[in-house]
Amino acid sequence: FTEDATGAVAAPRASEDGNIKTIAIFVPTLRGGGAERVAVNLSASWLNRGYRVVVFTNEEPNPADFRLHEKLQRVVLPARRPERWNAVRDNLRAASVDLCMFGDGWRRQTHYDFFSAKLTGCLTVQSVHHMFFCPVHEFRPEEMEWLLDYGRFADALACLSVDNLLWWRAS
């Protein structure tokens, strides 16, 4: 959403010419799991296709991290909410980010970052890198409600499989 001089909020936007030029990926860590590897590989792929890419993480670089492309900008976000909100907003604006991709929708912090990006005016994609019913199978039913609420506000969903896509559509 964009603000005018009065502080009013408008609809999501891409860059001035309507094209997506800069993409941000939000991933808490850059090591250990499949979702993290996907984020690193996607960011390199997008760079190679001419997009600018910024990776937002929760941690300073670690030797165990998956290796980031040398042209990637990494932003380490603070943990505390007011400072984090300001850091998300300020870094998205400074990098002229058009689209943000979020994984780990089961994390409450991801929701806050997602809505911070929405309020900053970025298009949002929720990447669902697990099966649709994962929270139920792992006996965390409250996370199912979070995912469904969160998914309703995304501009797009990227699903792991066609089966998952059908479950999202049905939900």
Side-chain angles (χ1 to χ4, degrees):
F1 295 70
T2 55
E3 295 177 25
D4 65 15
T6 67
V9 178
R13 52 106 184 120
S15 63
E16 293 294 321
D17 62 5
N19 294 316
I20 294 169
K21 295 179 181 172
T22 305
I23 301 170
I25 299 177
F26 284 72
V27 59
T29 65
L30 290 170
R31 66 185 168 281
E36 293 80 3
R37 182 180 300 275
V38 166
V40 170
N41 289 340
L42 272 176
S43 63
S45 175
W46 289 331
L47 277 171
N48 292 332
R49 288 178 167 80
Y51 294 97
R52 289 186 316 244
V53 181
V54 181
V55 176
F56 287 77
T57 70
N58 293 345
E59 300 179 345
E60 295 292 333
N62 181 304
D65 286 351
F66 294 119
R67 198 164 139 243
L68 287 175
H69 192 285
E70 63 273 0
K71 290 184 180 178
L72 274 175
Q73 177 186 351
R74 179 181 185 148
V75 174
V76 178
L77 294 168
R80 293 179 51 126
R81 281 206 193 114
E83 293 86 2
R84 189 175 181 105
W85 153 247
N86 290 331
V88 168
R89 181 196 60 217
D90 295 347
N91 283 284
L92 290 174
R93 287 179 176 170
S96 298
V97 171
D98 303 304
L99 181 141
C100 296
M101 184 169 218
F102 296 87
D104 291 342
W106 54 273
R107 293 177 191 260
R108 196 48 107 174
Q109 185 59 58
T110 302
H111 295 218
Y112 297 131
D113 293 345
F114 173 89
F115 287 109
S116 295
K118 291 290 280 185
L119 290 169
T120 303
C122 296
L123 298 170
T124 55
V125 176
Q126 169 58 40
S127 175
V128 185
H129 191 77
H130 55 65
M131 64 176 209
F132 182 79
F133 292 108
C134 184
V136 175
H137 288 290
E138 293 184 1
F139 303 106
R140 298 185 309 223
E142 72 283 355
E143 291 176 14
M144 192 72 198
E145 185 177 339
W146 298 350
L147 282 170
L148 292 173
D149 285 344
Y150 175 40
R152 284 184 194 102
F153 292 98
D155 293 297
L157 291 168
C159 297
L160 188 60
S161 69
V162 173
D163 290 346
N164 284 328
L165 172 64
L166 294 174
W167 280 112
W168 273 101
R169 283 184 179 161
S171 73

